[in-house]
Amino acid sequence: MFRRSDFPDDFIFGVATSAYQIEGSRFGGAGSSHWDTFANTPGNVVDGSDGSVACDHYHRWEEDLNLIRDGNFDAYRFSTSWARVMPDGRNINAEGMDFYDRLVDGMVARGLKPVLTLHHWDLPSPLASLGGWTNRDIAGWFSDYARAVIGRIGDRVAMTATLNEPWCIAWLSHFMGAHAPGLRDIRATGRAMHHVLLTHGTAIQAMRADGHDNLGMVLNFETAAPATDSAADRKGAEAQDAIYNRWFLEAAMGQGYPAEALAGLEPHLPEGWQQDMDLIATPVDWLGVNHYTRAHYHHICGPWPHTEMVPGPLPKTQIGWEMRPDGLYEFIMRAAKAIEGKGMKLYVTESGMAWYDRVVDGAVADDVRQGYIRDHVGAVQRAMAEGVDVKGFFQWSLLDNYEWALGYGPRFGIVHVDYATQTRTPKGSYLMFRDALSR
Ligand code: GBH
């Protein structure tokens, strides 16, 4: 079992959430986002649910911050909702901005470091109507929003990330159609794959020009394994690795786009993309690694990248994701190599798993999650023992919440939520963190 004292004094343990998944998107004068639109279109979300109420965190944030403090965590990674702050995508809703001002004050009052993510997928609908991530203007729209938010709460925020998981924003949402806006369109994908990075770089420069620091980027990583040892499967997995794990990291670190991904995407990138690569490589102060699982790819005779996903052999979570802590170790090593000599800090900004948690006699015995957490924190310790200076670890998630296209079924929280009553019940994993992190 890990303990706080096994880590350097400045190592931070935190929990992570995102606005649309917990707040309730219908409160506080928030505008509609493309997630409301997507979720309310039949067939997109398994249980037909949306984030309009979610965990009602908009009204229960004090109770939720108390849980984080009482769990002995140091930091809280949260996101601000663009659609709440700017319902029309351009002009500020004072009520929405005031909410985040109170929330950040609440963190500071409880001794928690606020770790801000400026965008975790709730794009204002009016901007989605203008093409969203396929429209190059999004770099300017987002930078205005970023400057407004950080201008208001940046004085109390410890660290700021631009976009959560560009792969999900671009590939999962424009190629796979699994998240808003639900497109399956290689041309839209090529534009989104480039514009997310252009937007990130533009916003970093804009916030720096305003004098802000501790600015970072959060990427998700997932081992891309070949389903068999055949040359075709190996080639497919390599293409997926380039799309998923290399595209954003290598471009942001100034190495350009990987050839294995350009092979399919280059014809669909916006014209003149090469001229943006320096802006995209604007240095950040820190890199966040999100990690959950491994995927297996099998070659198919279909459109590029000629792959389909097949289940792997390891034990799986509630939603079929393989549990593989070695993957976290491997991506920490890969990320450390990519940022070597650049003076950037490294964090694990998300790690977690869904399980079939139930409250029995007022308690939730989530032994599988406790093992998962021990193994994943262990993977961080292994990387640190080999000399990588990881600065923190954030558990996804504080609360069971709206799991996007999978609705309210999957439970990722270390605190159970009964959605009918909004009752919070700390799970065994919460109590485990509380003990491990006590001083
Ligand atoms: C994170 O994304 C998100 O930041 C967060 O909002 C979300 O709640 C959390 O994960 C849990 O999902 O079905 O085997 O092919 C993680 C990115 C991308 C990881 C898709 C799992 C699919 C695995 N995810 N991937 S599989």
Side-chain angles (χ1 to χ4, degrees):
M1 183 53 198
F2 65 95
R3 291 207 50 85
R4 179 188 284 290
S5 51
D6 303 334
F7 291 80
D9 286 345
D10 64 349
F11 190 93
I12 57 174
F13 283 94
V15 286
T17 66
S18 87
Y20 192 78
Q21 292 177 273
I22 64 167
E23 288 177 356
S25 64
R26 73 155 79 123
F27 309 125
S32 154
S33 79
H34 73 167
W35 257 96
D36 293 306
T37 317
F38 179 79
N40 290 307
T41 306
N44 286 336
V45 176
V46 289
D47 57 6
S49 64
D50 61 25
S52 57
V53 176
C55 305
D56 192 32
H57 172 76
Y58 186 79
H59 300 108
R60 295 167 196 266
W61 59 272
E62 294 184 276
E63 177 186 357
D64 294 339
L65 293 186
N66 288 345
L67 281 165
I68 305 173
R69 177 199 60 202
D70 296 343
N72 293 322
F73 291 99
D74 311 302
Y76 176 35
R77 177 168 175 251
F78 69 107
S79 79
T80 48
S81 163
W82 193 348
R84 178 182 301 291
V85 171
M86 294 178 161
D88 67 357
R90 311 289 289 140
N91 296 290
I92 291 171
N93 161 35
E95 203 182 344
M97 197 67 112
D98 289 350
F99 171 69
Y100 296 114
D101 197 65
R102 288 197 295 280
L103 188 66
V104 168
D105 276 348
M107 292 178 219
V108 173
R110 288 165 179 80
L112 298 169
K113 283 188 202 326
V115 176
L116 165 66
T117 300
L118 286 161
H119 184 66
H120 201 125
W121 310 348
D122 33 18
L123 178 70
S125 295
L127 301 181
S129 303
L130 296 174
W133 293 102
T134 68
N135 187 333
R136 184 180 176 89
D137 291 344
I138 197 160
W141 304 332
F142 179 79
S143 296
D144 292 347
Y145 157 71
R147 292 182 62 199
V149 171
I150 203 170
R152 177 70 180 269
I153 63 175
D155 56 338
R156 285 150 287 160
V157 158
M159 295 159 52
T160 301
T162 51
L163 315 171
N164 182 69
E165 303 186 341
W167 177 88
C168 290
I169 296 174
W171 188 266
L172 186 67
S173 308
H174 295 79
F175 186 83
M176 295 172 69
H179 280 190
L183 300 182
R184 289 187 176 81
D185 176 343
I186 186 70
R187 298 197 45 196
T189 302
R191 302 180 68 79
M193 290 289 277
H194 185 68
H195 291 153
V196 282
L197 282 159
L198 177 69
T199 297
H200 160 79
T202 306
I204 292 284
Q205 292 215 346
M207 291 188 284
R208 277 231 206 285
D210 287 350
H212 298 287
D213 61 5
N214 292 330
L215 308 176
M217 157 176 250
V218 172
L219 301 177
N220 55 310
F221 295 98
E222 190 171 293
T223 307
T228 73
D229 205 31
S230 76
D233 283 6
R234 276 189 279 122
K235 188 150 189 268
E238 267 168 33
Q240 286 290 351
D241 185 56
I243 294 162
Y244 202 126
N245 302 311
R246 298 178 55 202
W247 181 268
F248 309 97
L249 180 63
E250 292 179 14
M253 296 305 144
Q255 297 162 248
Y257 291 139
E260 293 85 342
L262 276 177
L265 279 172
E266 190 160 12
H268 310 294
L269 293 178
E271 214 178 305
W273 61 271
Q274 293 90 344
Q275 275 90 64
D276 297 328
M277 297 313 280
D278 285 347
L279 180 53
I280 285 172
T282 301
V284 291
D285 302 304
W286 59 274
L287 175 66
V289 170
N290 291 0
H291 174 269
Y292 290 87
T293 190
R294 172 172 75 172
H296 288 81
Y297 294 96
H298 189 59
H299 175 268
I300 52 163
C301 296
W304 181 85
H306 320 297
T307 55
E308 68 177 2
M309 241 180 345
V310 296
L314 295 180
K316 299 185 181 58
T317 72
Q318 182 189 12
I319 52 177
W321 298 0
E322 273 194 324
M323 299 189 255
R324 187 170 172 270
D326 284 353
L328 178 56
Y329 163 80
E330 289 159 11
F331 281 113
I332 290 172
M333 300 312 281
R334 211 201 265 205
K337 194 154 186 265
I339 64 174
E340 200 168 15
K342 292 183 186 286
M344 296 172 189
K345 292 180 176 165
L346 187 60
Y347 293 85
V348 174
T349 35
E350 284 180 31
S351 165
M353 61 163 286
W355 199 249
Y356 315 86
D357 302 316
R358 286 179 48 232
V359 181
V360 179
D361 297 332
V364 182
D366 62 346
D367 302 50
V368 177
R369 181 177 296 100
Q370 291 175 48
Y372 184 101
I373 292 168
R374 282 195 295 269
D375 291 348
H376 284 75
V377 171
V380 175
Q381 290 178 295
R382 184 176 156 209
M384 292 175 77
E386 292 176 24
V388 178
D389 190 17
V390 183
K391 290 291 188 192
F393 178 90
F394 291 79
Q395 179 69 23
W396 183 274
S397 180
L398 172 66
L399 304 171
D400 293 337
N401 60 44
Y402 182 61
E403 182 48 33
W404 307 110
L406 301 180
Y408 289 99
R411 294 187 175 273
F412 272 91
I414 57 171
V415 174
H416 180 279
V417 176
D418 174 353
Y419 297 106
T421 61
Q422 294 294 351
T423 304
R424 275 76 163 135
T425 306
K427 302 180 188 177
S429 52
Y430 172 94
L431 304 174
M432 183 184 85
F433 269 118
R434 194 183 66 185
D435 289 346
L437 303 182
S438 69
R439 292 188 192 270

